[in-house]
Amino acid sequence: MIAEALQYLATAALTGRAYRRFVRYSVNLWSRAGRCGRAWAAHEASSKDAMRAAMSDLRQRRTAVVLGSGLLRDVPIGDLAASFDTLVLVDLVHLASVRLWLKAKGYRNVRLIERDLSGYDDLKAGRDVEPLGFLRSVPYLDFVVSANLLSQIGRGVKRRYEADAPSDMPADTVERLIAAHIQGLSDLPCRTCLVTDISYAVIDRTGKVHEEADLMHGVALPEAKVRWDWPVAPLGEESRDYQIVHKVIAGW
Ligand SMILES: C[S@@+](CC[C@H](N)C(=O)[O-])C[C@H]1O[C@@H](n2cnc3c(N)ncnc32)[C@H](O)[C@@H]1O
């Protein structure tokens, strides 16, 4: 509890006013990741492997961008920082502990950007929805990774849509913004790598599935090269009798 409070206070102090309300989600994720480290290890290794494979044959390695860099647990940060001239990490929030760790590692070519990648504000304002349009102004862009972010965009957008209701937001807001992220990646003139959890299942101790949901809300996904399971809430995390397992895909 004390570690969480310190992480919260230090991160809030370093985070722009517009993004401070998201700090508690990042701190909650950090706490859970700490508790579930062993259960998440295979997922984190698979995510890193996919990203390494996606960049392995790139001839030019000038600028790389990681979307949803978060805790840097499922991103091969050392390889990216060593391989590219500039590495840009984009997230709503960069935890104080992550900032400190990057400093301690001495990565001089890493830049942090706080940004809402959902496109919700543009849709609400009736503007063109191009949540990744800002990448057009990043010079020498050679590689973009979407790092276990897309399902979280869907969750955040759904939460905001419900909180705003009744509003003029279209009924398919969540689907549109998930699709806009996928389209935005495929429109980029460089190598991209999409790693995302796409569904979840609540499973009991006998292996029986009690509940399932599509985290992509029916939006068509590009073809996956690799798939795996991620025990987001192993037995004992949310319940003694049930675990929550997400299906993850990676494509590039
Ligand atoms: C499951 S975590 C990704 C973990 C991260 N790749 C890592 O290596 O630890 C999802 C991340 O997406 C970020 N996120 C969620 N919605 C976002 C949004 N609309 N814009 C930018 N980042 C967002 C969260 O802050 C969180 O860090």
Side-chain angles (χ1 to χ4, degrees):
M1 282 303 271
I2 293 174
E4 274 87 355
L6 289 174
Q7 177 76 278
Y8 180 87
L9 289 172
T11 304
L14 295 167
T15 303
R17 183 193 286 259
Y19 301 102
R20 257 175 237 155
R21 64 200 158 107
F22 302 112
V23 170
R24 69 190 170 99
Y25 295 111
S26 294
V27 175
N28 288 344
L29 177 68
W30 175 75
S31 287
R32 175 175 283 212
R35 289 192 304 271
C36 301
R38 204 178 300 174
W40 288 14
H43 156 70
E44 290 167 358
S46 299
S47 295
K48 288 180 192 167
D49 285 348
M51 295 169 199
R52 286 192 194 104
M55 68 189 221
S56 63
D57 64 341
L58 279 179
R59 288 219 307 274
Q60 284 196 302
R61 296 174 180 217
R62 294 166 299 176
T63 301
V65 175
V66 179
L67 307 171
S69 52
L71 316 176
L72 299 178
R73 289 182 66 107
D74 51 42
V75 173
I77 185 75
D79 294 334
L80 286 162
S83 307
F84 288 85
D85 299 336
T86 305
L87 175 60
V88 184
L89 307 178
V90 189
D91 205 294
L92 288 168
V93 170
H94 301 284
L95 286 175
S97 61
V98 168
R99 292 174 187 265
L100 206 64
W101 184 85
L102 287 168
K103 215 171 202 169
K105 284 278 176 190
Y107 295 133
R108 289 174 192 279
N109 59 340
V110 178
R111 309 276 172 274
L112 304 183
I113 296 181
E114 289 169 353
R115 192 176 180 95
D116 179 359
L117 293 163
S118 71
Y120 191 98
D121 288 336
D122 285 337
L123 188 59
K124 192 171 182 177
R127 295 187 289 261
D128 285 348
V129 178
E130 278 194 286
L132 305 187
F134 73 102
L135 291 172
R136 280 198 291 269
S137 61
V138 175
Y140 310 118
L141 190 58
D142 289 321
F143 189 44
V144 175
V145 178
S146 174
N148 287 298
L149 159 72
L150 188 51
S151 68
Q152 294 305 302
I153 286 183
R155 264 186 87 172
V157 165
K158 186 161 182 281
R159 201 163 39 220
R160 211 170 147 189
Y161 175 85
E162 287 167 358
D164 278 356
S167 74
D168 292 338
M169 292 299 282
D172 61 352
T173 291
V174 180
E175 293 87 332
R176 273 202 214 192
L177 295 181
I178 288 174
H181 187 86
I182 295 167
Q183 188 63 46
L185 279 179
S186 82
D187 287 348
L188 288 169
C190 68
R191 177 74 50 83
T192 63
C193 176
L194 171 66
V195 180
T196 182
D197 41 346
I198 57 169
S199 65
Y200 81 83
V202 179
I203 304 170
D204 71 17
R205 285 179 177 274
T206 69
K208 185 171 170 212
V209 175
H210 288 259
E211 193 187 323
E212 280 180 294
D214 172 13
L215 295 169
M216 296 291 103
H217 296 261
V219 175
L221 289 158
E223 205 169 317
K225 286 205 176 163
V226 205
R227 294 170 181 270
W228 62 88
D229 285 350
W230 174 16
V232 168
L235 286 172
E237 172 62 18
E238 288 196 7
S239 150
R240 276 172 39 192
D241 302 315
Y242 298 94
Q243 59 170 328
I244 299 173
V245 179
H246 289 206
K247 293 221 169 293
V248 184
I249 61 157
W252 56 92

